[in-house]
Coordinates of all heavy atoms in Angstrom, one line a residue:
L1 N 99.6 66.8 80.9 CA 99.3 65.7 81.9 C 97.8 65.3 81.7 O 97.6 64.1 81.6 CB 99.4 66.3 83.3 CG 99.3 65.3 84.4 CD1 100.2 64.0 84.2 CD2 99.6 65.9 85.8
A2 N 96.9 66.2 81.5 CA 95.5 65.8 81.2 C 95.4 65.0 79.9 O 94.6 64.1 79.8 CB 94.7 67.1 81.1
R3 N 96.2 65.4 78.9 CA 96.2 64.7 77.6 C 96.7 63.2 77.8 O 96.1 62.3 77.3 CB 97.1 65.3 76.6 CG 97.1 64.6 75.2 CD 97.9 65.4 74.2 NE 99.3 65.4 74.5 CZ 100.2 66.1 73.8 NH1 99.9 66.8 72.7 NH2 101.5 66.0 74.1
A4 N 97.7 63.0 78.6 CA 98.2 61.7 78.9 C 97.1 60.9 79.7 O 96.9 59.7 79.4 CB 99.5 61.7 79.7
L5 N 96.4 61.5 80.6 CA 95.4 60.8 81.4 C 94.2 60.5 80.6 O 93.5 59.5 80.9 CB 95.0 61.7 82.6 CG 96.1 61.9 83.7 CD1 95.6 62.9 84.7 CD2 96.5 60.6 84.3
A6 N 93.9 61.2 79.5 CA 92.7 61.0 78.7 C 92.8 59.6 78.0 O 91.8 59.0 77.7 CB 92.6 62.1 77.6
S7 N 94.0 59.1 77.8 CA 94.1 57.8 77.2 C 93.9 56.6 78.2 O 94.1 55.5 77.8 CB 95.5 57.7 76.6 OG 96.5 57.6 77.6
R8 N 93.5 56.9 79.4 CA 93.3 56.0 80.5 C 94.4 55.0 80.7 O 94.3 53.8 80.6 CB 92.0 55.1 80.1 CG 90.7 56.0 80.0 CD 89.5 55.1 79.8 NE 88.3 55.8 79.6 CZ 87.5 56.3 80.5 NH1 87.9 56.1 81.8 NH2 86.5 57.0 80.2
P9 N 95.6 55.6 81.0 CA 96.8 54.7 81.2 C 96.7 53.9 82.5 O 96.2 54.3 83.5 CB 97.9 55.7 81.3 CG 97.3 56.9 81.9 CD 95.9 57.0 81.3
R10 N 97.4 52.7 82.5 CA 97.7 52.0 83.7 C 99.0 52.4 84.2 O 99.3 52.4 85.5 CB 97.7 50.5 83.4 CG 96.3 49.9 83.1 CD 96.4 48.4 82.8 NE 97.3 48.1 81.7 CZ 97.9 47.0 81.5 NH1 97.9 46.1 82.4 NH2 98.7 46.8 80.4
L11 N 99.9 52.8 83.3 CA 101.3 53.2 83.7 C 101.5 54.6 83.1 O 101.4 54.7 81.8 CB 102.3 52.2 83.2 CG 103.8 52.6 83.4 CD1 104.1 52.8 84.9 CD2 104.7 51.6 82.8
L12 N 101.9 55.6 83.9 CA 102.1 56.9 83.4 C 103.6 57.3 83.6 O 104.1 57.2 84.7 CB 101.2 57.9 84.2 CG 101.4 59.4 83.9 CD1 101.0 59.7 82.4 CD2 100.5 60.2 84.8
L13 N 104.3 57.7 82.5 CA 105.7 58.1 82.6 C 105.7 59.6 82.6 O 105.2 60.2 81.6 CB 106.4 57.5 81.4 CG 107.0 56.1 81.5 CD1 105.9 55.1 81.9 CD2 107.8 55.7 80.3
L14 N 106.3 60.2 83.6 CA 106.4 61.6 83.7 C 107.9 62.1 83.6 O 108.7 61.7 84.4 CB 105.9 62.1 85.0 CG 104.4 61.7 85.4 CD1 104.0 62.2 86.8 CD2 103.5 62.3 84.3
D15 N 108.2 62.8 82.5 CA 109.6 63.3 82.3 C 109.7 64.7 82.8 O 109.3 65.6 82.2 CB 109.9 63.2 80.8 CG 111.4 63.3 80.5 OD1 112.1 63.6 81.4 OD2 111.8 63.0 79.4
E16 N 110.3 64.8 84.0 CA 110.6 66.0 84.7 C 109.3 66.9 84.9 O 109.2 68.0 84.4 CB 111.7 66.8 84.0 CG 113.0 66.1 83.9 CD 114.2 67.1 83.7 OE1 114.0 68.3 83.9 OE2 115.2 66.6 83.2
P17 N 108.4 66.3 85.7 CA 107.1 67.0 85.9 C 107.3 68.3 86.7 O 106.5 69.3 86.6 CB 106.3 66.0 86.7 CG 107.3 65.1 87.3 CD 108.4 65.0 86.3
A18 N 108.4 68.4 87.5 CA 108.6 69.7 88.2 C 109.6 70.6 87.6 O 110.0 71.6 88.1 CB 109.1 69.3 89.7
G19 N 110.1 70.2 86.4 CA 111.1 71.0 85.7 C 110.5 72.3 85.1 O 109.5 72.3 84.5
G20 N 111.2 73.4 85.3 CA 110.9 74.7 84.7 C 109.7 75.4 85.3 O 109.2 76.4 84.8
I21 N 109.3 74.9 86.5 CA 108.2 75.6 87.2 C 108.7 76.2 88.5 O 109.7 75.9 89.0 CB 107.0 74.7 87.4 CG1 107.4 73.5 88.4 CG2 106.4 74.1 86.1 CD1 106.2 72.6 88.7
S22 N 107.9 77.1 89.0 CA 108.3 77.8 90.2 C 108.3 76.9 91.5 O 107.6 75.9 91.5 CB 107.4 79.1 90.5 OG 106.1 78.6 90.9
H23 N 109.0 77.4 92.5 CA 109.0 76.6 93.7 C 107.6 76.4 94.3 O 107.2 75.4 94.8 CB 109.9 77.3 94.8 CG 109.9 76.7 96.1 ND1 110.6 75.5 96.3 CD2 109.3 77.0 97.3 CE1 110.5 75.1 97.6 NE2 109.7 76.0 98.2
E24 N 106.8 77.5 94.2 CA 105.4 77.4 94.7 C 104.5 76.4 93.9 O 103.7 75.8 94.5 CB 104.7 78.8 94.6 CG 105.3 79.9 95.5 CD 106.7 80.4 95.1 OE1 107.0 80.2 93.9 OE2 107.4 81.0 95.9
E25 N 104.8 76.2 92.6 CA 104.1 75.3 91.8 C 104.5 73.8 92.0 O 103.7 72.9 91.8 CB 104.3 75.6 90.3 CG 103.6 76.9 89.9 CD 103.9 77.2 88.4 OE1 105.1 77.3 88.1 OE2 103.0 77.4 87.6
V26 N 105.7 73.6 92.5 CA 106.2 72.2 92.7 C 105.3 71.4 93.6 O 105.0 70.3 93.4 CB 107.6 72.2 93.1 CG1 108.1 70.8 93.6 CG2 108.6 72.7 92.0
G27 N 104.9 72.0 94.8 CA 104.1 71.4 95.7 C 102.8 71.0 95.1 O 102.2 69.9 95.4
G28 N 102.2 71.8 94.3 CA 100.9 71.5 93.7 C 101.0 70.4 92.7 O 100.1 69.5 92.6
V29 N 102.1 70.3 91.9 CA 102.3 69.2 91.0 C 102.5 67.9 91.8 O 102.0 66.9 91.4 CB 103.5 69.5 90.1 CG1 103.9 68.3 89.2 CG2 103.2 70.7 89.2
A30 N 103.3 67.9 92.9 CA 103.5 66.7 93.7 C 102.1 66.2 94.2 O 101.9 65.0 94.1 CB 104.4 67.0 94.8
A31 N 101.3 67.1 94.7 CA 100.0 66.7 95.2 C 99.1 66.2 94.0 O 98.4 65.2 94.2 CB 99.3 67.9 95.8
L32 N 99.2 66.7 92.8 CA 98.5 66.2 91.7 C 98.9 64.8 91.3 O 98.1 64.0 91.0 CB 98.6 67.2 90.5 CG 97.9 66.9 89.2 CD1 96.4 66.7 89.5 CD2 98.1 67.9 88.2
V33 N 100.2 64.6 91.3 CA 100.7 63.3 90.9 C 100.2 62.2 92.0 O 99.8 61.1 91.6 CB 102.3 63.2 90.9 CG1 102.8 61.8 90.7 CG2 102.8 64.1 89.7
Q34 N 100.2 62.6 93.2 CA 99.7 61.7 94.3 C 98.2 61.4 94.1 O 97.7 60.3 94.3 CB 100.0 62.3 95.6 CG 101.5 62.3 96.0 CD 101.8 63.0 97.3 OE1 101.3 64.1 97.5 NE2 102.5 62.3 98.2
R35 N 97.5 62.5 93.7 CA 96.0 62.2 93.4 C 95.8 61.3 92.2 O 94.9 60.4 92.2 CB 95.3 63.6 93.1 CG 95.1 64.4 94.3 CD 94.2 65.6 93.9 NE 92.9 65.2 93.3 CZ 92.3 65.8 92.3 NH1 92.9 66.9 91.7 NH2 91.2 65.4 91.8
I36 N 96.6 61.5 91.2 CA 96.5 60.6 90.0 C 96.8 59.1 90.4 O 96.0 58.2 90.1 CB 97.6 61.0 88.9 CG1 97.1 62.3 88.3 CG2 97.7 59.9 87.9 CD1 98.2 63.0 87.5
H37 N 97.8 59.0 91.2 CA 98.1 57.6 91.7 C 97.0 57.0 92.6 O 96.6 55.9 92.4 CB 99.5 57.7 92.5 CG 99.8 56.5 93.3 ND1 99.9 56.4 94.6 CD2 100.1 55.2 92.8 CE1 100.2 55.2 95.0 NE2 100.3 54.5 94.0
R38 N 96.5 57.8 93.5 CA 95.6 57.3 94.5 C 94.1 57.3 93.9 O 93.5 56.2 94.1 CB 95.6 58.3 95.7 CG 94.7 57.9 96.8 CD 94.8 58.8 98.0 NE 94.4 60.2 97.7 CZ 95.2 61.2 97.5 NH1 96.5 61.0 97.6 NH2 94.8 62.4 97.2
E39 N 93.7 58.3 93.3 CA 92.3 58.4 92.9 C 92.0 57.7 91.5 O 90.9 57.2 91.3 CB 91.8 59.8 92.8 CG 91.9 60.5 94.2 CD 91.4 62.0 94.2 OE1 90.7 62.4 93.2 OE2 91.9 62.8 95.0
L40 N 93.0 57.7 90.6 CA 92.8 57.1 89.3 C 93.4 55.8 89.2 O 93.3 55.1 88.2 CB 93.4 58.0 88.2 CG 92.8 59.5 88.1 CD1 93.4 60.2 87.0 CD2 91.3 59.4 88.0
D41 N 94.1 55.3 90.3 CA 94.7 54.0 90.3 C 95.7 53.8 89.2 O 95.7 52.8 88.5 CB 93.6 52.9 90.3 CG 94.2 51.5 90.6 OD1 95.2 51.5 91.4 OD2 93.6 50.5 90.2
V42 N 96.6 54.8 89.0 CA 97.6 54.8 88.0 C 99.0 54.6 88.6 O 99.3 55.2 89.6 CB 97.6 56.1 87.2 CG1 98.7 56.1 86.2 CG2 96.3 56.3 86.5
T43 N 99.7 53.6 88.1 CA 101.1 53.4 88.5 C 101.9 54.5 87.8 O 101.7 54.8 86.6 CB 101.6 52.0 88.1 OG1 100.7 51.0 88.7 CG2 103.0 51.8 88.5
V44 N 102.9 55.1 88.5 CA 103.7 56.2 88.0 C 105.2 55.9 88.0 O 105.7 55.4 89.0 CB 103.4 57.5 88.8 CG1 104.3 58.6 88.3 CG2 101.9 57.8 88.8
L45 N 105.8 56.2 86.9 CA 107.3 56.2 86.8 C 107.7 57.6 86.3 O 107.3 58.0 85.3 CB 107.8 55.1 85.8 CG 109.3 55.1 85.6 CD1 110.0 54.7 86.9 CD2 109.6 54.1 84.5
L46 N 108.5 58.2 87.1 CA 108.9 59.6 86.8 C 110.4 59.8 86.7 O 111.2 59.1 87.4 CB 108.3 60.6 87.7 CG 108.6 60.5 89.2 CD1 109.8 61.4 89.6 CD2 107.4 60.8 90.1

């Protein structure tokens, strides 16, 4: 995810960002995607 963000995208495509991680980690990833959208002004398609 950091690698994708380093390219300064306007549109970020996330292919199963919650796949293969624990239930506890899912909430953290959701919060991170929301921060990317809100703080970095990135449109997201997942």
Side-chain angles (χ1 to χ4, degrees):
L1 188 53
R3 182 176 66 184
L5 293 173
S7 68
R8 299 185 184 274
R10 292 181 297 155
L11 175 63
L12 177 62
L13 275 56
L14 303 176
D15 197 346
E16 298 199 21
I21 63 177
S22 70
H23 177 75
E24 291 74 18
E25 291 175 303
V26 170
V29 172
L32 180 56
V33 173
Q34 290 174 311
R35 283 188 60 217
I36 291 167
H37 169 243
R38 182 177 64 252
E39 297 178 23
L40 302 182
D41 193 26
V42 175
T43 302
V44 176
L45 177 63
L46 60 94

